[in-house]
Amino acid sequence: MSDATLTVRCQTCGTTKPSTDGWGGTVVYCADCAQNVGSIAQSDFETALQAATQAATAATKAASAHIAELLKDYPTVATLLVDTKAGIVDSCYDSDGKRVTYRAMRLEGILEKVDAVLVQVLDLGNGPDVLTRNGWTLASHCPMAYLPVRAKADDRT
């Protein structure tokens, strides 16, 4: 049998073409289908990446709301300064940016719950770009960043 009689059949589109490399048989993708699959894969990747980015942002917002609920008895706390590598609260601030002495507020049991939420949300990404995209404000001293938990201090003080 000569090389000219060998054909290659594409499983994807069903076309049959003469073999150009001396091998016959069936292939999953012909050259045309492979190009389309590459474009589809790129598009699928971009769609999945965008969905993951949106999910991480939504998770961060939900974490902020959950932390605000955990701190409901301490309405003056509006922002947390967080060690983003360790996932722990360093300090608390009111809506005017003044430090709130949280140790005097008996937050021991609550801070462990807050830290657990922070660890989970920071597992989604703790790089500077990810943090800023998700609503954090980077502090001048890394790896610290501010996480807003309330837009405005409550009047229940």
Side-chain angles (χ1 to χ4, degrees), residues 5-81:
T5 60
L6 293 175
T7 59
V8 177
R9 182 176 182 281
C10 175
Q11 287 181 341
T12 304
C13 68
T15 60
T16 301
K17 297 181 180 179
S19 173
T20 58
D21 60 7
W23 296 91
T26 304
V27 294
V28 177
Y29 304 114
C30 65
D32 293 336
C33 289
Q35 185 175 2
N36 290 338
V37 167
S39 296
I40 292 168
Q42 177 67 27
S43 177
D44 288 350
F45 167 74
E46 290 169 358
T47 301
L49 182 61
Q50 183 179 18
T53 300
Q54 291 170 346
T57 301
T60 302
K61 288 179 182 175
S64 291
H66 181 58
I67 291 170
E69 182 60 26
L70 290 171
L71 297 172
K72 68 183 175 197
D73 293 335
Y74 306 97
T76 58
V77 176
T79 303
L80 303 177
L81 179 61

Side-chain angles (χ1 to χ4, degrees), residues 66-74 89 105-117:
H66 181 58
I67 291 170
E69 182 60 26
L70 290 171
L71 297 172
K72 68 183 175 197
D73 293 335
Y74 306 97
V89 174
M105 297 188 299
R106 298 186 195 105
L107 287 175
E108 293 81 22
I110 295 170
L111 279 182
E112 286 83 16
K113 293 176 185 176
V114 170
D115 290 345
V117 172

Side-chain angles (χ1 to χ4, degrees), residues 79-85 88 90-91 93 126-129 131-132 135-148:
T79 303
L80 303 177
L81 179 61
V82 177
D83 179 331
T84 60
K85 296 296 182 205
I88 57 173
D90 178 80
S91 51
Y93 296 86
N126 64 358
D129 292 343
L131 292 172
T132 54
W136 296 68
T137 303
L138 301 178
S140 59
H141 47 291
C142 289
M144 307 300 265
Y146 296 97
L147 176 67

